Amino acid sequence: MKNGWIKLLQAGALAAVMALPASAATAGTAVATVTYAEPDRFTDVPFTPWERERVLKQLTAHFDKLAASLPPGQEFKVEVLDLDLAGQTKPNFRGGQDLRVMNGGADWPHIHLRYSISEGGKVLKSGEEKLSNMQYLHRMNSYGNNELLRYEKQMLDDWFKQTVAARSATR
């Protein structure tokens, strides 16, 4: 019985996560334009091209989700200048992708970015930020354990809520 409830909860959580991108996209017409300045030279991204592409696609999708919460008509532009993912990469000698190990030391996530929010050709807010979360393992995270970039996404959510969304809503 206990396993049945767990499976039911997991199925419900999966359905809720699957519904998020669709509802976020219809919530507003704001769109994110994301560029990456020399991603091959980022501090810490996967070595293999397919893993690096997967990470950058996930990050782009997350910026799209954040942009969807802006008022209609606003445009969110982001240029990622550097990326250092949470944890450290350890080689997987049995094949497959490398392992990412989090130890809570000096392995917290960092993202250096430039951003702007504009509406009708007028820049409402812009800046350059160096985001990091030294407490990434010691606080609640709204993303599941199997979520790729869960610590980076939480850090971006916090920044966006405090810096971007709060100021763009009070035009």
Side-chain angles (χ1 to χ4, degrees), residues 44 84-88 100-110 133-134 136-137 152:
D44 178 25
D84 187 353
L85 301 175
Q88 296 177 330
R100 187 159 288 276
V101 179
M102 319 302 175
N103 65 24
D107 63 349
W108 55 83
H110 300 272
N133 182 3
M134 295 171 66
Y136 78 101
L137 286 178
E152 293 77 10

Side-chain angles (χ1 to χ4, degrees), residues 3-153:
N3 286 339
W5 279 107
I6 291 172
K7 287 182 182 178
L8 183 61
L9 288 172
Q10 288 173 338
L14 178 62
V17 168
M18 295 300 282
L20 276 178
S23 63
T26 59
T29 57
V31 176
T33 303
V34 183
T35 57
Y36 297 92
E38 300 184 74
D40 294 342
R41 300 185 69 157
F42 285 173
T43 301
D44 178 25
V45 291
F47 177 72
T48 62
W50 68 271
E51 284 183 282
R52 184 173 37 252
E53 182 179 332
R54 182 176 69 140
V55 165
L56 298 181
K57 279 184 179 180
Q58 285 269 325
L59 199 56
T60 299
H62 194 70
F63 281 120
D64 284 338
K65 177 186 163 200
L66 294 173
S69 69
L70 291 172
Q74 291 188 358
E75 184 180 4
F76 181 43
K77 291 184 180 180
V78 179
E79 180 183 15
V80 178
L81 303 171
D82 193 20
L83 177 63
D84 187 353
L85 301 175
Q88 296 177 330
T89 303
K90 303 292 182 188
N92 182 357
F93 296 111
R94 294 184 179 188
Q97 67 187 42
D98 290 340
L99 304 173
R100 187 159 288 276
V101 179
M102 319 302 175
N103 65 24
D107 63 349
W108 55 83
H110 300 272
I111 298 177
H112 182 191
L113 57 84
R114 252 187 238 118
Y115 73 96
S116 69
I117 297 176
S118 59
E119 184 173 18
K122 180 183 175 192
V123 175
L124 304 174
K125 170 99 177 116
S126 66
E128 186 169 322
E129 302 279 347
K130 290 184 178 183
L131 309 176
S132 62
N133 182 3
M134 295 171 66
Q135 299 297 314
Y136 78 101
L137 286 178
H138 304 291
R139 59 179 291 231
M140 295 294 292
N141 192 310
S142 59
Y143 296 94
N145 289 336
N146 293 328
E147 180 76 30
L148 182 66
L149 306 178
R150 69 184 290 225
Y151 301 109
E152 293 77 10
K153 289 177 180 180

